[in-house]
Amino acid sequence: IFYAFFLVPTLILSVLNVHPFNVPAWKSFAFFGAGILGGFVVFKLLFSGPAYDAGFPVGAAIPTAIYQIFVITYAEESFFRGFMLEVGSRRGTGFGIIVSAAFFSAFHLAAYSLGGLNIVAFGFAFVMGILFGFIYLATRDFAGIGLVWGLHAAFNLVLLFG
């Protein structure tokens, strides 16, 4: 339910007829598919090598993957890139990227710091927020949120499933 609050700014913008992504849904989903497939291969090779081990039963993996793809990463990308980055970019592109990356990393600090404050994970999430911000700005006119959403989903799935 917490992730539903990330979609509120996007819904408000939709009601006001202000759409940060002026891209047809099919195009955004096509780039999402490309992002998740390409991102999965890249992140898998970078972080865990070519071997595959799900780590837990498939019965739990499928609902977790669906939730990661269609709730968590979509809500985060809609909020941090589609809303915060767009609003922050009104004060300059660099400002928008830094602010959205800072909030993205602060949000993830709680998840990465279950055993105590994890500054390395905070820094890593900040760098990923900057990279996702640049990718979003470079592709938003033809891919909407699709490509960065797919890359984010692929990254999370590789972290979860190895």
Side-chain angles (χ1 to χ4, degrees):
I1 291 187
F2 179 73
Y3 277 93
F5 291 109
F6 283 123
L7 298 176
V8 170
T10 306
L11 294 173
I12 291 170
L13 291 176
S14 294
V15 169
L16 297 174
N17 205 22
V18 176
H19 301 283
F21 330 117
N22 289 322
V23 175
W26 70 266
K27 220 174 182 183
S28 190
F29 275 115
F31 278 97
F32 163 76
I36 197 167
L37 291 175
F40 190 81
V41 169
V42 169
F43 294 132
K44 179 80 172 145
L45 292 174
L46 282 176
F47 297 121
S48 61
Y52 177 76
D53 178 19
F56 52 86
V58 173
I62 293 171
T64 300
I66 290 170
Y67 186 72
Q68 271 292 324
I69 293 168
F70 293 107
V71 176
I72 293 177
T73 55
Y74 181 77
E76 287 180 6
E77 290 306 320
S78 294
F79 183 74
F80 292 113
R81 256 55 77 188
F83 177 70
M84 288 192 77
L85 179 57
E86 290 288 342
V87 170
S89 291
R90 294 178 184 165
R91 297 192 66 182
T93 302
F95 180 81
I97 289 174
I98 296 296
V99 167
S100 69
F103 277 97
F104 180 74
S105 58
F107 174 77
H108 285 83
L109 186 60
Y112 294 139
S113 298
L114 295 176
L117 188 60
N118 190 340
I119 296 300
V120 173
F122 176 81
F124 190 76
F126 184 73
V127 170
M128 292 303 290
I130 289 173
L131 290 174
F132 287 156
F134 276 114
I135 292 167
Y136 169 71
L137 289 176
T139 62
R140 71 178 169 190
D141 290 338
F142 60 87
I145 198 120
L147 185 61
V148 73
W149 172 30
L151 290 170
H152 188 169
F155 180 80
N156 285 6
L157 291 175
V158 167
L159 289 180
L160 281 173
F161 302 122

